[in-house]
Coordinates of all heavy atoms in Angstrom, one line a residue:
Q1 N 28.2 -10.0 -15.8 CA 28.4 -9.8 -14.3 C 28.0 -11.1 -13.6 O 27.0 -11.7 -14.0 CB 27.6 -8.6 -13.9 CG 28.0 -7.3 -14.5 CD 29.4 -7.0 -14.2 OE1 29.8 -6.8 -13.0 NE2 30.2 -6.8 -15.2
P2 N 28.7 -11.4 -12.5 CA 28.2 -12.5 -11.7 C 26.9 -12.3 -11.1 O 26.6 -11.1 -10.7 CB 29.3 -12.6 -10.6 CG 29.9 -11.3 -10.6 CD 29.9 -10.7 -12.0
K3 N 26.1 -13.3 -11.0 CA 24.8 -13.1 -10.4 C 24.9 -12.8 -8.9 O 25.7 -13.3 -8.2 CB 23.9 -14.3 -10.6 CG 23.6 -14.6 -12.1 CD 22.6 -15.8 -12.2 CE 22.2 -16.0 -13.6 NZ 21.3 -17.2 -13.8
P4 N 24.1 -11.8 -8.5 CA 24.2 -11.4 -7.1 C 23.7 -12.6 -6.2 O 22.9 -13.4 -6.7 CB 23.2 -10.2 -6.9 CG 22.3 -10.4 -8.1 CD 23.1 -11.0 -9.2
P5 N 24.2 -12.7 -5.0 CA 23.7 -13.7 -4.1 C 22.2 -13.6 -3.8 O 21.7 -12.5 -3.9 CB 24.5 -13.6 -2.8 CG 24.9 -12.1 -2.9 CD 25.1 -11.8 -4.3
P6 N 21.5 -14.6 -3.6 CA 20.0 -14.5 -3.3 C 19.8 -13.7 -2.1 O 20.6 -13.7 -1.1 CB 19.6 -16.0 -3.1 CG 20.9 -16.7 -2.7 CD 21.9 -16.0 -3.5
V7 N 18.7 -12.9 -2.2 CA 18.4 -12.0 -1.1 C 17.9 -12.8 0.1 O 17.1 -13.8 -0.1 CB 17.3 -11.0 -1.5 CG1 16.9 -10.1 -0.3 CG2 17.8 -10.2 -2.7
S8 N 18.5 -12.6 1.3 CA 18.1 -13.4 2.4 C 16.6 -13.1 2.8 O 16.1 -12.0 2.6 CB 18.9 -13.0 3.6 OG 18.8 -11.6 3.9
R9 N 15.9 -14.2 3.2 CA 14.5 -14.1 3.5 C 14.3 -13.4 4.8 O 15.2 -13.5 5.7 CB 13.9 -15.5 3.5 CG 14.0 -16.2 2.1 CD 13.2 -17.4 2.2 NE 11.8 -17.2 2.4 CZ 10.9 -18.2 2.5 NH1 11.2 -19.4 2.5 NH2 9.6 -17.9 2.7
I10 N 13.2 -12.7 5.0 CA 12.9 -12.0 6.2 C 12.4 -13.1 7.2 O 11.6 -14.0 6.9 CB 11.8 -11.0 6.0 CG1 12.2 -10.0 5.0 CG2 11.4 -10.3 7.3 CD1 11.1 -9.0 4.5
S11 N 12.9 -13.0 8.4 CA 12.6 -14.1 9.4 C 11.1 -14.0 9.8 O 10.4 -12.9 9.6 CB 13.4 -13.9 10.7 OG 13.0 -12.7 11.4
A12 N 10.6 -15.1 10.3 CA 9.2 -15.1 10.7 C 8.9 -14.1 11.8 O 7.8 -13.4 11.9 CB 8.8 -16.5 11.2
E13 N 9.9 -13.9 12.7 CA 9.8 -12.9 13.8 C 9.7 -11.5 13.3 O 8.8 -10.7 13.7 CB 10.9 -13.1 14.8 CG 11.0 -14.4 15.6 CD 11.5 -15.6 14.7 OE1 12.0 -15.3 13.6 OE2 11.5 -16.7 15.3
D14 N 10.6 -11.2 12.3 CA 10.6 -9.8 11.7 C 9.3 -9.6 10.9 O 8.7 -8.5 10.9 CB 11.8 -9.6 10.9 CG 13.0 -9.2 11.7 OD1 12.8 -8.9 13.0 OD2 14.1 -9.2 11.2
T15 N 8.8 -10.6 10.2 CA 7.6 -10.5 9.5 C 6.4 -10.2 10.4 O 5.6 -9.2 10.1 CB 7.3 -11.8 8.7 OG1 8.3 -12.0 7.7 CG2 6.0 -11.7 8.0
A16 N 6.3 -10.9 11.5 CA 5.2 -10.7 12.4 C 5.4 -9.3 13.0 O 4.4 -8.6 13.2 CB 5.3 -11.7 13.5
M17 N 6.6 -8.9 13.4 CA 6.8 -7.6 14.0 C 6.4 -6.5 13.1 O 5.7 -5.5 13.6 CB 8.3 -7.4 14.4 CG 8.7 -6.1 15.0 SD 9.0 -4.7 13.8 CE 10.5 -5.4 13.0
I18 N 6.8 -6.4 11.9 CA 6.6 -5.3 11.0 C 5.1 -5.3 10.6 O 4.5 -4.2 10.4 CB 7.5 -5.3 9.7 CG1 7.5 -4.0 9.1 CG2 7.1 -6.4 8.7 CD1 8.2 -2.9 9.9
Q19 N 4.4 -6.5 10.5 CA 3.0 -6.5 10.2 C 2.2 -6.0 11.3 O 1.1 -5.4 11.2 CB 2.6 -7.9 9.7 CG 3.2 -8.3 8.3 CD 2.7 -9.6 7.8 OE1 2.0 -10.4 8.5 NE2 3.1 -9.9 6.6
R20 N 2.6 -6.3 12.6 CA 1.9 -5.8 13.7 C 2.0 -4.3 13.8 O 1.1 -3.7 14.4 CB 2.5 -6.4 15.0 CG 2.1 -7.8 15.4 CD 2.4 -8.2 16.8 NE 3.8 -7.9 17.2 CZ 4.8 -8.8 17.1 NH1 4.6 -10.0 16.6 NH2 6.0 -8.4 17.4
A21 N 3.0 -3.7 13.2 CA 3.2 -2.3 13.3 C 2.2 -1.5 12.4 O 2.1 -0.3 12.5 CB 4.6 -1.9 12.9
V22 N 1.5 -2.2 11.5 CA 0.6 -1.6 10.6 C -0.6 -1.0 11.3 O -1.3 -1.7 12.1 CB 0.1 -2.5 9.5 CG1 -1.0 -1.9 8.6 CG2 1.3 -3.0 8.6
I23 N -0.9 0.3 11.2 CA -2.0 0.9 11.8 C -3.1 1.4 10.8 O -4.2 1.7 11.2 CB -1.6 2.1 12.7 CG1 -0.8 3.2 11.9 CG2 -0.8 1.7 13.9 CD1 -0.4 4.4 12.6
Y24 N -2.7 1.4 9.5 CA -3.7 1.7 8.5 C -3.2 1.1 7.2 O -2.0 1.1 6.9 CB -3.8 3.2 8.3 CG -4.8 3.6 7.2 CD1 -6.2 3.7 7.5 CD2 -4.3 3.9 5.9 CE1 -7.0 4.1 6.5 CE2 -5.2 4.2 4.9 CZ -6.6 4.3 5.2 OH -7.4 4.6 4.1

């Protein structure tokens, strides 16, 4: 099978957003 395309990296903005959402 052809190798799947590399998974796109999470943007810095989305990384910061989802980490800010952590409450515990």
Side-chain angles (χ1 to χ4, degrees):
Q1 298 298 300
K3 293 184 178 180
V7 178
S8 59
R9 298 187 64 182
I10 303 171
S11 69
E13 292 79 8
D14 278 346
T15 295
M17 178 276 297
I18 200 67
Q19 291 184 353
R20 283 196 306 269
V22 175
I23 56 176
Y24 178 86

